[in-house]
Amino acid sequence: MKNQSYVELTNILKQKIDRLLSEKIVDYMIVYEKGSLWFKTRPKMIRKQTDMEKVIWNRYCQFNLSTFLKSLSGKDENIGIIAKKCDLGSIVELIKNNQIKKENLYILQVACDGVINWQKLENLLGTKVAKAIEVEEDSPNLVIKMPERNIEVLKNDCLPDKCLICDFQPSPYANDFLTIVDEKIEDIKEIKSQPLPNLEPLDNMSYEERLGYWLKHFSRCMRCYACRNVCPVCYCSTCMFDGQEGLWISKESKTSDNYVYHLTRAFHVATLCVECGECQRVCPVNIPLMKLNSKLAKEISDTFGYQAGLLIDDLSPFKTYCQEDPDEFK
Amino acid sequence: MEIVAFCCQWCSYAGADLAGTSRLKYPADIRIIKIPCSSRINPTFILKALSKGVDGVMVAGCHPGDCHYATGNYFTRRRLTILKRLLEFSGINPERLQLYWISAAEGGKFAESVRDMVSRLERLQDKPFPRNPGISL
Ligand code: SF4
Ligand code: SF4
Ligand code: SF4
Ligand code: FES
């Protein structure tokens, strides 16, 4: 999408939110606002129309706002939320698992043709994104305007994995879909659709090598729990890894305990994970958590034919059973 | 060898009791932990035991259809099927986790299951989880 389209979409968005608030359709709106640097955004909850100028929509709105719905469940207020296509998946899971009521939620889907992962962009540039002045789209490239010169990079190389398989279409669960005519949106659709990063390097390893691979990664984990906190579907109000009493694992970041934590976390969200990639994105030490999540999602889909985040009426395969289930046990 | 056995109180634990009172011999490598139902198993129980370096974990419950909470073991079966795949993917031989269906009347099957578990583990080439995984791994 061109920069101009984002500006226009933001204006449409503001008008829409203005109406939602003034007509009291929602009590407040969860939106994106400008972050500390021009290519960063942060979440904002607005109740007053006077806050309206803070609302933005641009290609840096990478994170998933629905993670804030977790802590709001149970309050009797109507919440409006801005959602990208991919965010709808986790909202569906939250509704399905009774974390939030559909009737208390106004989902405002906004057209999106890919958000920039600025860490990926930074790696491509070999320099701080903060040094750039602006980014403009010249499909299929992004033009990065640096003080001295312009650098062109392939847009797909700066996108999170999820965008490469996204269909950009309106979700049946969105209350409204805001879009704009932009011929660039169409362009991108044709050159995307690369397969997700596969798990093969691990599939071909021996058990020792695989365990070594994971322990090497887990030994860096400092258990900041950012991966758990950011996850939109990891919603227990009290996590079994918190609290003083009855600790399952030590507070200290021991590699063996980190192993227990990571496999438990992945398993607990196994039927809920919508592969949004947030957990891996926020990890300060780059642990490839998505490999665990994707593996589990694949096993669940192969075994039970279930995919999270699609339909509100689907039943999670761990909440039901079938007498004829595969039984490899004796 | 060290094996942790989680036995549901209504069937398998009673089965283990029967094996004892019938003076059946089985390898002394297991430590039994009583749980209310096989579906009480949280993956963390299994992961924690394995991460302490035990050779294997066995979970034992009532036969499918016989769970005293009607359907608990059907859920266990689903979860452990997936957990085994996760263990495999993260570098632990899935053979190290087994689920057995043992009723209260099956003292013999209990002893048999422990023997089965031990012989499966003896055949494995790979090592269990290291006792002190250092940073250098
Ligand atoms: S996955 Fe789709 S909706 Fe989500 S950020 Fe990427 S392009 Fe946008
Ligand atoms: S975000 Fe990274 S460092 Fe923090 S707990 Fe998760 S894996 Fe560990
Ligand atoms: S990808 Fe990570 S953050 Fe996203 S739903 Fe799955 S576990 Fe949660
Ligand atoms: S009571 Fe034995 S498996 Fe449920």
Side-chain angles (χ1 to χ4, degrees):
Chain A
M1 248 193 281
K2 288 174 295 190
N3 287 2
Q4 188 51 36
S5 306
Y6 278 114
V7 174
E8 286 167 29
L9 253 181
T10 307
N11 286 334
I12 304 177
L13 187 59
K14 282 180 183 166
Q15 287 165 15
K16 177 80 194 181
I17 296 175
D18 192 67
R19 218 187 50 131
L20 290 178
L21 286 173
S22 62
E23 292 176 10
K24 302 240 180 313
I25 296 171
V26 300
D27 293 302
Y28 60 92
M29 214 35 229
I30 309 178
V31 302
Y32 296 95
E33 72 166 346
K34 198 169 165 305
S36 51
L37 293 164
W38 63 268
F39 57 93
K40 290 191 179 174
T41 54
R42 64 183 173 217
K44 171 88 185 158
M45 298 191 187
I46 55 171
R47 282 181 185 270
K48 301 192 295 279
Q49 277 142 293
T50 45
D51 278 341
M52 197 61 70
E53 81 275 11
K54 301 221 169 89
V55 177
I56 56 161
W57 172 247
N58 60 29
R59 61 170 72 87
Y60 311 106
C61 296
Q62 188 188 167
F63 56 88
N64 184 343
L65 291 173
S66 69
T67 196
F68 297 100
L69 295 175
K70 295 187 292 184
S71 48
L72 299 168
S73 51
K75 303 216 178 89
D76 219 8
E77 277 186 312
N78 292 329
I79 309 168
I81 186 166
I82 295 183
K84 308 187 284 296
K85 176 63 184 278
C86 52
D87 304 341
L88 257 305
S90 49
I91 297 177
V92 163
E93 283 306 313
L94 289 172
I95 296 171
K96 197 194 281 181
N97 290 283
N98 304 323
Q99 296 306 302
I100 188 120
K101 290 201 195 82
K102 174 91 183 69
E103 52 274 24
N104 288 14
L105 201 58
Y106 192 96
I107 307 167
L108 190 47
Q109 188 184 346
V110 188
C112 171
D113 65 354
V115 289
I116 305 292
N117 179 313
W118 61 265
Q119 285 98 334
K120 277 194 179 176
L121 179 59
E122 201 146 280
N123 288 342
L124 282 177
L125 290 179
T127 178
K128 295 262 180 242
V129 182
K131 289 206 179 124
I133 303 158
E134 203 193 4
V135 171
E136 178 52 288
E137 185 157 326
D138 183 12
S139 170
N141 289 337
L142 288 178
V143 184
I144 322 295
K145 300 201 171 123
M146 306 293 281
E148 331 78 65
R149 67 206 163 95
N150 289 351
I151 304 178
E152 293 206 5
V153 295
L154 202 60
K155 181 180 174 191
N156 274 7
D157 291 343
C158 312
L159 300 180
D161 295 335
K162 61 180 177 183
C163 299
L164 299 174
I165 51 160
C166 176
D167 65 4
F168 313 153
Q169 297 304 313
S171 157
Y173 297 113
N175 297 66
D176 201 354
F177 179 64
L178 299 185
T179 187
I180 193 165
V181 183
D182 182 330
E183 73 284 3
K184 294 278 160 37
I185 299 186
E186 297 306 313
D187 283 2
I188 304 285
K189 264 191 208 159
E190 282 152 37
I191 54 163
K192 71 184 190 80
S193 85
Q194 298 169 2
L196 275 185
N198 64 43
L199 310 165
E200 253 171 36
L202 273 157
D203 283 344
N204 299 331
M205 288 183 190
S206 71
Y207 289 120
E208 262 98 358
E209 286 168 331
R210 244 182 262 173
L211 188 60
Y213 170 91
W214 283 112
L215 293 185
K216 195 162 140 242
H217 280 301
F218 293 158
S219 70
R220 296 199 309 275
C221 173
M222 51 192 137
R223 291 239 298 284
C224 63
Y225 294 133
C227 48
R228 173 197 70 182
N229 295 351
V230 78
C231 175
V233 295
C234 200
Y235 54 67
C236 299
S237 50
T238 311
C239 174
M240 67 183 292
F241 295 114
D242 281 341
Q244 304 295 319
E245 300 292 324
L247 290 180
W248 289 103
I249 52 175
S250 67
K251 288 274 174 197
E252 126 201 57
S253 156
K254 252 184 10 203
T255 305
S256 57
D257 283 353
N258 294 350
Y259 180 89
V260 177
Y261 163 65
H262 281 293
L263 267 66
T264 305
R265 187 203 64 83
F267 195 84
H268 280 181
V269 294
T271 54
L272 304 155
C273 171
V274 289
E275 297 182 78
C276 67
E278 284 293 278
C279 46
Q280 179 162 326
R281 181 181 68 83
V282 297
C283 177
V285 290
N286 299 321
I287 298 180
L289 298 171
M290 280 313 288
K291 286 207 164 71
L292 292 175
N293 298 327
S294 303
K295 175 70 180 175
L296 279 167
K298 181 171 179 303
E299 288 300 334
I300 283 171
S301 129
D302 289 354
T303 315
F304 306 116
Y306 174 86
Q307 197 188 338
L310 286 185
L311 298 170
I312 289 183
D313 298 324
D314 271 357
L315 192 57
S316 152
F318 282 172
K319 290 195 176 159
T320 178
Y321 68 91
C322 194
Q323 291 187 348
E324 293 75 37
D325 276 338
D327 192 338
E328 53 188 88
F329 311 105
K330 287 192 274 173
Chain B
M1 196 166 288
E2 272 182 311
I3 299 168
V4 176
F6 293 100
C7 297
C8 101
Q9 64 179 347
W10 299 109
C11 281
S12 317
Y13 194 84
D17 237 8
L18 185 61
T21 47
S22 326
R23 308 201 168 247
L24 296 176
K25 278 211 167 22
Y26 58 86
D29 302 306
I30 67 160
R31 304 285 176 277
I32 298 180
I33 298 176
K34 183 159 86 169
I35 49 176
C37 169
S38 67
S39 62
R40 171 64 184 95
I41 284 285
N42 182 317
T44 312
F45 299 176
I46 295 166
L47 292 168
K48 182 160 181 176
L50 289 171
S51 79
K52 295 275 173 199
V54 302
D55 296 270
V57 173
M58 67 184 267
V59 177
C62 319
H63 285 267
D66 285 349
C67 173
H68 283 52
Y69 305 96
T71 56
N73 49 11
Y74 288 122
F75 294 90
T76 316
R77 183 166 71 182
R78 285 202 156 193
R79 291 179 204 144
L80 295 202
T81 303
I82 299 297
L83 184 62
K84 281 187 87 154
R85 301 285 87 77
L86 181 63
L87 286 177
E88 184 174 25
F89 184 68
S90 61
I92 293 195
N93 194 325
E95 285 281 289
R96 295 189 183 279
L97 170 62
Q98 292 300 335
L99 176 57
Y100 295 93
W101 309 125
I102 304 166
S103 83
E106 294 179 321
K109 179 158 186 205
F110 181 83
E112 176 55 39
S113 303
V114 179
R115 281 196 291 274
D116 176 67
M117 186 82 200
V118 171
S119 74
R120 276 166 186 270
L121 293 174
E122 275 169 355
R123 268 181 270 135
L124 301 185
Q125 304 292 320
D126 52 272
K127 289 195 227 21
F129 197 94
R131 296 265 161 165
N132 284 307
I135 306 285
S136 59
L137 263 158

